[in-house]
Amino acid sequence: MDDEPTTLAFSDYLELEKTSSVRHDYIAGQLFEIETLSPQHDRLAINIGSELYDQLRDTPCQVFTAEMKLWIPSKEVAYYPDVMVVCDPEDRNPNYKTQPRLIVEVLSSNTVATDRQEKFFAYQTLPSFQEYVLVPQDQTGIERYRKTAAGDWEKTLLNPKEDLHLQSLGLTLSLSEIYEDSLME
């Protein structure tokens, strides 16, 4: 009996995802089911995506939410970021994107380690990637990572009274807009 896991080509993964009732991350030919989002997670991602969309409306940048895959060929991984912004007009594949400028992940207890480590390290290999924002569901406050001119990543913890300035896009989101109508008690 062969204990080797079956690997799937990326093109086969794309075809499978078109008809699958659940979404999967793709890591080196292996599929990993993505957990169902909580209402709080969904609300935060919608708020962020909507605010970004409103502010980027007449620009070449496009906002994508958790239904668009991000393909990182050098790492052989595809993830579904909660929110990403792509400003490269050449990044036109309808099934996935490869040139995000900004990625936002809404943290949950099951994904926090993956979002902070595995995904962030993979995202950093993309030349277009400039800012990473982590938004906790259970408290008001945000972590922002920004790529410096030297290529290092600078971490900033925002307190609940600060606005989120996104240098990569030249815009600002208020935390009150991000957490508007959130389900926090």
Short mmCIF file of all heavy atoms in Angstrom, two decimals, residues 65-125:
data_model
loop_
_atom_site.label_atom_id
_atom_site.label_comp_id
_atom_site.label_asym_id
_atom_site.label_seq_id
_atom_site.Cartn_x
_atom_site.Cartn_y
_atom_site.Cartn_z
N THR A 65 -11.96 39.94 -2.32
CA THR A 65 -12.23 39.36 -1.01
C THR A 65 -11.97 37.86 -1.04
O THR A 65 -11.39 37.35 -2.00
CB THR A 65 -13.67 39.67 -0.57
OG1 THR A 65 -14.57 39.16 -1.56
CG2 THR A 65 -13.89 41.16 -0.38
N ALA A 66 -12.43 37.20 -0.03
CA ALA A 66 -12.06 35.80 0.22
C ALA A 66 -12.43 34.80 -0.86
O ALA A 66 -12.12 33.62 -0.74
CB ALA A 66 -12.68 35.35 1.55
N GLU A 67 -13.05 35.24 -1.93
CA GLU A 67 -13.38 34.32 -3.02
C GLU A 67 -12.31 34.29 -4.12
O GLU A 67 -12.40 33.48 -5.03
CB GLU A 67 -14.74 34.67 -3.63
CG GLU A 67 -15.90 34.43 -2.67
CD GLU A 67 -15.97 32.99 -2.16
OE1 GLU A 67 -15.85 32.05 -2.96
OE2 GLU A 67 -16.14 32.83 -0.94
N MET A 68 -11.31 35.17 -4.03
CA MET A 68 -10.25 35.21 -5.04
C MET A 68 -8.98 34.60 -4.47
O MET A 68 -8.53 34.97 -3.39
CB MET A 68 -9.98 36.65 -5.47
CG MET A 68 -8.85 36.79 -6.49
SD MET A 68 -9.06 35.85 -8.03
CE MET A 68 -10.30 36.82 -8.87
N LYS A 69 -8.41 33.69 -5.23
CA LYS A 69 -7.17 33.03 -4.81
C LYS A 69 -5.95 33.90 -5.09
O LYS A 69 -5.94 34.67 -6.05
CB LYS A 69 -7.01 31.70 -5.55
CG LYS A 69 -8.01 30.64 -5.18
CD LYS A 69 -7.91 29.42 -6.06
CE LYS A 69 -8.64 29.52 -7.36
NZ LYS A 69 -10.02 29.93 -7.36
N LEU A 70 -4.94 33.73 -4.26
CA LEU A 70 -3.63 34.32 -4.49
C LEU A 70 -2.66 33.18 -4.75
O LEU A 70 -2.48 32.31 -3.90
CB LEU A 70 -3.17 35.13 -3.27
CG LEU A 70 -1.73 35.63 -3.32
CD1 LEU A 70 -1.50 36.56 -4.50
CD2 LEU A 70 -1.36 36.30 -2.01
N TRP A 71 -2.06 33.16 -5.93
CA TRP A 71 -1.12 32.11 -6.33
C TRP A 71 0.30 32.64 -6.18
O TRP A 71 0.63 33.71 -6.69
CB TRP A 71 -1.41 31.68 -7.76
CG TRP A 71 -0.42 30.79 -8.43
CD1 TRP A 71 0.19 31.02 -9.64
CD2 TRP A 71 0.07 29.51 -8.00
NE1 TRP A 71 1.01 29.98 -9.97
CE2 TRP A 71 0.97 29.03 -8.97
CE3 TRP A 71 -0.15 28.73 -6.86
CZ2 TRP A 71 1.63 27.81 -8.86
CZ3 TRP A 71 0.51 27.51 -6.74
CH2 TRP A 71 1.39 27.06 -7.74
N ILE A 72 1.12 31.87 -5.45
CA ILE A 72 2.52 32.23 -5.25
C ILE A 72 3.35 31.10 -5.87
O ILE A 72 3.67 30.10 -5.21
CB ILE A 72 2.85 32.41 -3.76
CG1 ILE A 72 1.87 33.41 -3.13
CG2 ILE A 72 4.30 32.86 -3.57
CD1 ILE A 72 1.94 33.51 -1.63
N PRO A 73 3.70 31.23 -7.14
CA PRO A 73 4.36 30.13 -7.85
C PRO A 73 5.68 29.70 -7.23
O PRO A 73 5.99 28.51 -7.19
CB PRO A 73 4.59 30.68 -9.26
CG PRO A 73 3.82 31.92 -9.37
CD PRO A 73 3.47 32.38 -8.00
N SER A 74 6.47 30.64 -6.72
CA SER A 74 7.78 30.28 -6.16
C SER A 74 7.66 29.39 -4.93
O SER A 74 8.57 28.64 -4.62
CB SER A 74 8.58 31.54 -5.81
OG SER A 74 7.95 32.25 -4.75
N LYS A 75 6.55 29.45 -4.25
CA LYS A 75 6.31 28.63 -3.06
C LYS A 75 5.34 27.49 -3.33
O LYS A 75 5.08 26.67 -2.45
CB LYS A 75 5.76 29.50 -1.91
CG LYS A 75 6.73 30.54 -1.42
CD LYS A 75 7.88 29.88 -0.72
CE LYS A 75 8.86 30.88 -0.18
NZ LYS A 75 10.02 30.25 0.42
N GLU A 76 4.77 27.46 -4.53
CA GLU A 76 3.76 26.46 -4.90
C GLU A 76 2.61 26.45 -3.92
O GLU A 76 2.16 25.39 -3.46
CB GLU A 76 4.38 25.07 -5.02
CG GLU A 76 5.34 24.92 -6.18
CD GLU A 76 5.78 23.49 -6.36
OE1 GLU A 76 4.91 22.62 -6.54
OE2 GLU A 76 7.01 23.26 -6.30
N VAL A 77 2.10 27.64 -3.60
CA VAL A 77 0.96 27.76 -2.70
C VAL A 77 -0.09 28.69 -3.28
O VAL A 77 0.24 29.63 -4.01
CB VAL A 77 1.35 28.23 -1.28
CG1 VAL A 77 2.30 27.25 -0.61
CG2 VAL A 77 1.94 29.62 -1.30
N ALA A 78 -1.33 28.42 -2.94
CA ALA A 78 -2.44 29.30 -3.26
C ALA A 78 -3.29 29.43 -2.00
O ALA A 78 -3.65 28.43 -1.38
CB ALA A 78 -3.27 28.75 -4.40
N TYR A 79 -3.54 30.67 -1.63
CA TYR A 79 -4.36 30.97 -0.46
C TYR A 79 -5.54 31.83 -0.91
O TYR A 79 -5.53 32.41 -1.98
CB TYR A 79 -3.57 31.77 0.58
CG TYR A 79 -2.39 31.05 1.18
CD1 TYR A 79 -1.10 31.52 0.97
CD2 TYR A 79 -2.55 29.91 1.96
CE1 TYR A 79 0.00 30.88 1.54
CE2 TYR A 79 -1.46 29.27 2.52
CZ TYR A 79 -0.18 29.76 2.31
OH TYR A 79 0.89 29.13 2.86
N TYR A 80 -6.51 31.96 -0.01
CA TYR A 80 -7.64 32.86 -0.19
C TYR A 80 -7.51 33.96 0.87
O TYR A 80 -8.04 33.82 1.97
CB TYR A 80 -8.96 32.13 0.04
CG TYR A 80 -9.41 31.22 -1.07
CD1 TYR A 80 -9.04 29.88 -1.09
CD2 TYR A 80 -10.28 31.68 -2.05
CE1 TYR A 80 -9.50 29.02 -2.09
CE2 TYR A 80 -10.74 30.83 -3.05
CZ TYR A 80 -10.35 29.50 -3.06
OH TYR A 80 -10.81 28.66 -4.05
N PRO A 81 -6.80 35.04 0.59
CA PRO A 81 -6.73 36.12 1.58
C PRO A 81 -8.12 36.70 1.84
O PRO A 81 -8.97 36.71 0.95
CB PRO A 81 -5.83 37.17 0.93
CG PRO A 81 -5.11 36.46 -0.17
CD PRO A 81 -6.02 35.36 -0.61
N ASP A 82 -8.33 37.20 3.05
CA ASP A 82 -9.64 37.79 3.36
C ASP A 82 -9.90 39.01 2.50
O ASP A 82 -11.01 39.19 1.99
CB ASP A 82 -9.72 38.14 4.85
CG ASP A 82 -9.72 36.88 5.71
OD1 ASP A 82 -10.40 35.92 5.32
OD2 ASP A 82 -9.04 36.87 6.74
N VAL A 83 -8.88 39.86 2.32
CA VAL A 83 -8.98 41.02 1.44
C VAL A 83 -7.61 41.23 0.81
O VAL A 83 -6.59 41.12 1.50
CB VAL A 83 -9.38 42.31 2.21
CG1 VAL A 83 -9.47 43.50 1.27
CG2 VAL A 83 -10.69 42.13 2.97
N MET A 84 -7.57 41.52 -0.47
CA MET A 84 -6.30 41.90 -1.10
C MET A 84 -6.58 42.96 -2.15
O MET A 84 -7.66 43.02 -2.73
CB MET A 84 -5.54 40.71 -1.68
CG MET A 84 -6.09 40.10 -2.90
SD MET A 84 -4.98 38.80 -3.55
CE MET A 84 -6.18 37.76 -4.36
N VAL A 85 -5.56 43.79 -2.35
CA VAL A 85 -5.64 44.84 -3.35
C VAL A 85 -4.53 44.61 -4.37
O VAL A 85 -3.37 44.46 -4.00
CB VAL A 85 -5.51 46.24 -2.72
CG1 VAL A 85 -5.50 47.31 -3.80
CG2 VAL A 85 -6.64 46.49 -1.72
N VAL A 86 -4.92 44.58 -5.63
CA VAL A 86 -4.00 44.39 -6.75
C VAL A 86 -4.06 45.65 -7.61
O VAL A 86 -5.14 46.09 -7.99
CB VAL A 86 -4.40 43.15 -7.58
CG1 VAL A 86 -3.53 43.01 -8.82
CG2 VAL A 86 -4.35 41.89 -6.72
N CYS A 87 -2.90 46.23 -7.88
CA CYS A 87 -2.84 47.47 -8.68
C CYS A 87 -2.12 47.28 -10.00
O CYS A 87 -1.94 48.25 -10.74
CB CYS A 87 -2.16 48.57 -7.86
SG CYS A 87 -3.03 48.96 -6.33
N ASP A 88 -1.72 46.08 -10.32
CA ASP A 88 -1.02 45.79 -11.56
C ASP A 88 -2.04 45.42 -12.64
O ASP A 88 -2.69 44.38 -12.54
CB ASP A 88 -0.03 44.64 -11.33
CG ASP A 88 0.81 44.32 -12.55
OD1 ASP A 88 0.47 44.76 -13.67
OD2 ASP A 88 1.83 43.63 -12.38
N PRO A 89 -2.18 46.23 -13.69
CA PRO A 89 -3.17 45.94 -14.72
C PRO A 89 -2.87 44.65 -15.51
O PRO A 89 -3.74 44.13 -16.18
CB PRO A 89 -3.13 47.17 -15.64
CG PRO A 89 -1.84 47.84 -15.35
CD PRO A 89 -1.44 47.47 -13.96
N GLU A 90 -1.65 44.15 -15.41
CA GLU A 90 -1.29 42.91 -16.10
C GLU A 90 -1.75 41.66 -15.33
O GLU A 90 -1.73 40.55 -15.86
CB GLU A 90 0.22 42.85 -16.33
CG GLU A 90 0.75 43.97 -17.21
CD GLU A 90 0.14 43.96 -18.61
OE1 GLU A 90 0.09 42.88 -19.23
OE2 GLU A 90 -0.30 45.02 -19.06
N ASP A 91 -2.15 41.82 -14.08
CA ASP A 91 -2.58 40.70 -13.23
C ASP A 91 -4.06 40.45 -13.50
O ASP A 91 -4.93 40.83 -12.72
CB ASP A 91 -2.32 41.04 -11.76
CG ASP A 91 -2.34 39.82 -10.85
OD1 ASP A 91 -2.70 38.72 -11.32
OD2 ASP A 91 -2.00 39.98 -9.67
N ARG A 92 -4.35 39.79 -14.65
CA ARG A 92 -5.72 39.69 -15.14
C ARG A 92 -6.35 38.30 -15.09
O ARG A 92 -7.46 38.12 -15.58
CB ARG A 92 -5.77 40.19 -16.58
CG ARG A 92 -5.49 41.65 -16.72
CD ARG A 92 -5.75 42.10 -18.12
NE ARG A 92 -4.70 41.64 -19.02
CZ ARG A 92 -4.07 42.40 -19.87
NH1 ARG A 92 -4.39 43.65 -20.00
NH2 ARG A 92 -3.12 41.90 -20.64
N ASN A 93 -5.67 37.32 -14.55
CA ASN A 93 -6.26 35.98 -14.54
C ASN A 93 -7.58 36.01 -13.74
O ASN A 93 -7.59 36.50 -12.62
CB ASN A 93 -5.29 34.97 -13.94
CG ASN A 93 -5.77 33.55 -14.15
OD1 ASN A 93 -6.82 33.16 -13.65
ND2 ASN A 93 -5.01 32.79 -14.91
N PRO A 94 -8.66 35.50 -14.29
CA PRO A 94 -9.94 35.55 -13.57
C PRO A 94 -10.04 34.58 -12.40
O PRO A 94 -10.95 34.71 -11.57
CB PRO A 94 -10.97 35.20 -14.65
CG PRO A 94 -10.20 34.37 -15.63
CD PRO A 94 -8.79 34.91 -15.62
N ASN A 95 -9.12 33.61 -12.31
CA ASN A 95 -9.19 32.59 -11.25
C ASN A 95 -8.26 32.84 -10.07
O ASN A 95 -8.48 32.28 -9.00
CB ASN A 95 -8.87 31.21 -11.83
CG ASN A 95 -9.87 30.81 -12.88
OD1 ASN A 95 -11.08 30.85 -12.66
ND2 ASN A 95 -9.38 30.45 -14.05
N TYR A 96 -7.24 33.64 -10.27
CA TYR A 96 -6.29 33.92 -9.20
C TYR A 96 -5.49 35.18 -9.53
O TYR A 96 -5.45 35.61 -10.68
CB TYR A 96 -5.33 32.74 -8.98
CG TYR A 96 -4.49 32.40 -10.17
CD1 TYR A 96 -3.27 33.03 -10.40
CD2 TYR A 96 -4.91 31.43 -11.09
CE1 TYR A 96 -2.49 32.72 -11.51
CE2 TYR A 96 -4.13 31.11 -12.20
CZ TYR A 96 -2.93 31.75 -12.40
OH TYR A 96 -2.16 31.45 -13.49
N LYS A 97 -4.88 35.73 -8.50
CA LYS A 97 -4.02 36.91 -8.66
C LYS A 97 -2.61 36.54 -8.19
O LYS A 97 -2.43 35.60 -7.41
CB LYS A 97 -4.56 38.11 -7.87
CG LYS A 97 -5.94 38.54 -8.29
CD LYS A 97 -5.97 38.94 -9.75
CE LYS A 97 -7.36 39.13 -10.29
NZ LYS A 97 -7.41 39.21 -11.73
N THR A 98 -1.62 37.31 -8.66
CA THR A 98 -0.23 37.03 -8.30
C THR A 98 0.54 38.27 -7.86
O THR A 98 1.70 38.15 -7.46
CB THR A 98 0.53 36.41 -9.51
OG1 THR A 98 0.50 37.34 -10.59
CG2 THR A 98 -0.06 35.08 -9.92
N GLN A 99 -0.09 39.46 -7.94
CA GLN A 99 0.64 40.70 -7.66
C GLN A 99 -0.09 41.60 -6.66
O GLN A 99 -0.36 42.76 -6.96
CB GLN A 99 0.88 41.46 -8.97
CG GLN A 99 1.72 40.73 -9.98
CD GLN A 99 3.11 40.43 -9.48
OE1 GLN A 99 3.74 41.26 -8.86
NE2 GLN A 99 3.58 39.23 -9.74
N PRO A 100 -0.37 41.13 -5.45
CA PRO A 100 -1.06 42.00 -4.50
C PRO A 100 -0.12 43.07 -3.95
O PRO A 100 1.07 42.84 -3.76
CB PRO A 100 -1.47 41.03 -3.39
CG PRO A 100 -0.37 40.01 -3.41
CD PRO A 100 -0.04 39.83 -4.87
N ARG A 101 -0.67 44.23 -3.71
CA ARG A 101 0.08 45.29 -3.03
C ARG A 101 -0.21 45.25 -1.53
O ARG A 101 0.66 45.48 -0.71
CB ARG A 101 -0.32 46.65 -3.61
CG ARG A 101 0.53 47.78 -3.06
CD ARG A 101 0.18 49.11 -3.69
NE ARG A 101 0.57 49.15 -5.10
CZ ARG A 101 0.37 50.19 -5.89
NH1 ARG A 101 -0.20 51.29 -5.41
NH2 ARG A 101 0.74 50.16 -7.15
N LEU A 102 -1.47 44.97 -1.19
CA LEU A 102 -1.92 44.91 0.19
C LEU A 102 -2.67 43.61 0.42
O LEU A 102 -3.46 43.20 -0.44
CB LEU A 102 -2.86 46.09 0.48
CG LEU A 102 -3.67 46.01 1.78
CD1 LEU A 102 -2.78 46.27 2.99
CD2 LEU A 102 -4.85 46.98 1.74
N ILE A 103 -2.43 42.99 1.57
CA ILE A 103 -3.21 41.82 1.98
C ILE A 103 -3.68 42.06 3.41
O ILE A 103 -2.91 42.51 4.26
CB ILE A 103 -2.39 40.51 1.91
CG1 ILE A 103 -1.99 40.22 0.46
CG2 ILE A 103 -3.19 39.34 2.50
CD1 ILE A 103 -1.07 39.03 0.30
N VAL A 104 -4.95 41.74 3.65
CA VAL A 104 -5.54 41.83 4.98
C VAL A 104 -6.05 40.45 5.37
O VAL A 104 -6.75 39.82 4.59
CB VAL A 104 -6.72 42.84 5.01
CG1 VAL A 104 -7.34 42.89 6.41
CG2 VAL A 104 -6.27 44.22 4.55
N GLU A 105 -5.69 40.02 6.57
CA GLU A 105 -6.22 38.77 7.11
C GLU A 105 -6.94 39.09 8.42
O GLU A 105 -6.40 39.81 9.27
CB GLU A 105 -5.10 37.75 7.38
CG GLU A 105 -4.39 37.25 6.15
CD GLU A 105 -5.17 36.26 5.28
OE1 GLU A 105 -6.36 36.00 5.56
OE2 GLU A 105 -4.57 35.76 4.32
N VAL A 106 -8.16 38.59 8.55
CA VAL A 106 -8.91 38.71 9.80
C VAL A 106 -8.55 37.47 10.62
O VAL A 106 -8.70 36.34 10.14
CB VAL A 106 -10.43 38.79 9.55
CG1 VAL A 106 -11.19 38.82 10.86
CG2 VAL A 106 -10.75 40.01 8.69
N LEU A 107 -8.05 37.70 11.82
CA LEU A 107 -7.53 36.60 12.64
C LEU A 107 -8.65 35.86 13.37
O LEU A 107 -9.59 36.47 13.87
CB LEU A 107 -6.55 37.15 13.67
CG LEU A 107 -5.34 37.89 13.13
CD1 LEU A 107 -4.52 38.47 14.27
CD2 LEU A 107 -4.49 36.99 12.26
N SER A 108 -8.49 34.55 13.43
CA SER A 108 -9.34 33.72 14.28
C SER A 108 -8.41 32.84 15.10
O SER A 108 -7.22 32.69 14.77
CB SER A 108 -10.30 32.86 13.44
OG SER A 108 -9.59 31.86 12.76
N SER A 109 -8.92 32.24 16.14
CA SER A 109 -8.07 31.42 17.00
C SER A 109 -7.45 30.25 16.23
O SER A 109 -6.34 29.82 16.54
CB SER A 109 -8.86 30.89 18.21
OG SER A 109 -9.98 30.15 17.76
N ASN A 110 -8.13 29.78 15.19
CA ASN A 110 -7.61 28.65 14.41
C ASN A 110 -6.60 29.05 13.34
O ASN A 110 -5.88 28.20 12.84
CB ASN A 110 -8.77 27.90 13.74
CG ASN A 110 -9.68 27.23 14.74
OD1 ASN A 110 -9.30 26.97 15.87
ND2 ASN A 110 -10.90 26.97 14.33
N THR A 111 -6.57 30.33 12.96
CA THR A 111 -5.70 30.74 11.86
C THR A 111 -4.59 31.71 12.24
O THR A 111 -3.75 32.01 11.41
CB THR A 111 -6.53 31.41 10.73
OG1 THR A 111 -7.08 32.63 11.22
CG2 THR A 111 -7.63 30.49 10.23
N VAL A 112 -4.60 32.19 13.47
CA VAL A 112 -3.66 33.25 13.85
C VAL A 112 -2.20 32.86 13.60
O VAL A 112 -1.43 33.65 13.07
CB VAL A 112 -3.90 33.73 15.30
CG1 VAL A 112 -3.62 32.64 16.31
CG2 VAL A 112 -3.10 34.98 15.59
N ALA A 113 -1.80 31.65 13.96
CA ALA A 113 -0.41 31.24 13.77
C ALA A 113 -0.07 31.14 12.28
O ALA A 113 1.00 31.59 11.85
CB ALA A 113 -0.15 29.91 14.48
N THR A 114 -0.96 30.57 11.50
CA THR A 114 -0.72 30.45 10.06
C THR A 114 -0.66 31.82 9.40
O THR A 114 0.20 32.09 8.56
CB THR A 114 -1.84 29.60 9.41
OG1 THR A 114 -1.88 28.33 10.06
CG2 THR A 114 -1.60 29.41 7.93
N ASP A 115 -1.57 32.72 9.78
CA ASP A 115 -1.60 34.06 9.19
C ASP A 115 -0.33 34.84 9.54
O ASP A 115 0.20 35.56 8.70
CB ASP A 115 -2.83 34.84 9.67
CG ASP A 115 -4.13 34.32 9.08
OD1 ASP A 115 -4.10 33.66 8.02
OD2 ASP A 115 -5.19 34.56 9.69
N ARG A 116 0.15 34.71 10.77
CA ARG A 116 1.33 35.47 11.20
C ARG A 116 2.63 34.89 10.69
O ARG A 116 3.61 35.62 10.55
CB ARG A 116 1.40 35.51 12.73
CG ARG A 116 0.51 36.53 13.34
CD ARG A 116 0.96 36.88 14.75
NE ARG A 116 0.13 37.93 15.27
CZ ARG A 116 -0.77 37.76 16.23
NH1 ARG A 116 -0.94 36.57 16.77
NH2 ARG A 116 -1.49 38.78 16.64
N GLN A 117 2.66 33.60 10.43
CA GLN A 117 3.93 32.97 10.05
C GLN A 117 3.90 32.45 8.62
O GLN A 117 4.46 33.08 7.72
CB GLN A 117 4.24 31.85 11.04
CG GLN A 117 4.47 32.37 12.45
CD GLN A 117 4.53 31.26 13.48
OE1 GLN A 117 4.61 30.10 13.16
NE2 GLN A 117 4.48 31.64 14.74
N GLU A 118 3.30 31.29 8.41
CA GLU A 118 3.36 30.61 7.11
C GLU A 118 2.92 31.51 5.96
O GLU A 118 3.64 31.67 4.97
CB GLU A 118 2.48 29.36 7.17
CG GLU A 118 2.36 28.61 5.87
CD GLU A 118 1.36 27.48 5.98
OE1 GLU A 118 1.43 26.69 6.94
OE2 GLU A 118 0.50 27.39 5.08
N LYS A 119 1.75 32.10 6.09
CA LYS A 119 1.24 32.95 4.99
C LYS A 119 2.11 34.20 4.82
O LYS A 119 2.45 34.55 3.70
CB LYS A 119 -0.21 33.35 5.25
CG LYS A 119 -1.20 32.24 5.05
CD LYS A 119 -2.61 32.77 5.23
CE LYS A 119 -3.65 31.70 4.97
NZ LYS A 119 -5.02 32.24 5.10
N PHE A 120 2.45 34.85 5.93
CA PHE A 120 3.24 36.08 5.84
C PHE A 120 4.58 35.81 5.17
O PHE A 120 5.01 36.57 4.31
CB PHE A 120 3.41 36.69 7.23
CG PHE A 120 4.06 38.05 7.23
CD1 PHE A 120 3.85 38.97 6.21
CD2 PHE A 120 4.89 38.42 8.26
CE1 PHE A 120 4.46 40.23 6.22
CE2 PHE A 120 5.50 39.67 8.29
CZ PHE A 120 5.28 40.57 7.27
N PHE A 121 5.24 34.72 5.53
CA PHE A 121 6.53 34.40 4.90
C PHE A 121 6.35 34.15 3.40
O PHE A 121 7.17 34.58 2.58
CB PHE A 121 7.20 33.20 5.57
CG PHE A 121 7.64 33.47 6.97
CD1 PHE A 121 7.44 32.52 7.96
CD2 PHE A 121 8.25 34.66 7.33
CE1 PHE A 121 7.84 32.77 9.27
CE2 PHE A 121 8.65 34.92 8.63
CZ PHE A 121 8.46 33.96 9.61
N ALA A 122 5.29 33.45 3.03
CA ALA A 122 5.04 33.20 1.60
C ALA A 122 4.71 34.51 0.87
O ALA A 122 5.24 34.76 -0.22
CB ALA A 122 3.90 32.20 1.44
N TYR A 123 3.88 35.35 1.47
CA TYR A 123 3.51 36.61 0.85
C TYR A 123 4.74 37.50 0.59
O TYR A 123 4.81 38.20 -0.41
CB TYR A 123 2.52 37.40 1.72
CG TYR A 123 1.17 36.75 1.92
CD1 TYR A 123 0.37 37.13 3.00
CD2 TYR A 123 0.66 35.77 1.06
CE1 TYR A 123 -0.88 36.58 3.20
CE2 TYR A 123 -0.59 35.20 1.27
CZ TYR A 123 -1.36 35.61 2.35
OH TYR A 123 -2.60 35.06 2.55
N GLN A 124 5.69 37.45 1.51
CA GLN A 124 6.88 38.30 1.40
C GLN A 124 7.72 38.00 0.16
O GLN A 124 8.55 38.82 -0.24
CB GLN A 124 7.75 38.16 2.64
CG GLN A 124 7.17 38.81 3.87
CD GLN A 124 8.04 38.61 5.08
OE1 GLN A 124 9.24 38.82 5.03
NE2 GLN A 124 7.44 38.18 6.18
N THR A 125 7.53 36.85 -0.46
CA THR A 125 8.30 36.51 -1.66
C THR A 125 7.77 37.22 -2.91
O THR A 125 8.42 37.17 -3.94
CB THR A 125 8.30 34.98 -1.90
OG1 THR A 125 6.97 34.55 -2.21
CG2 THR A 125 8.84 34.23 -0.70
#
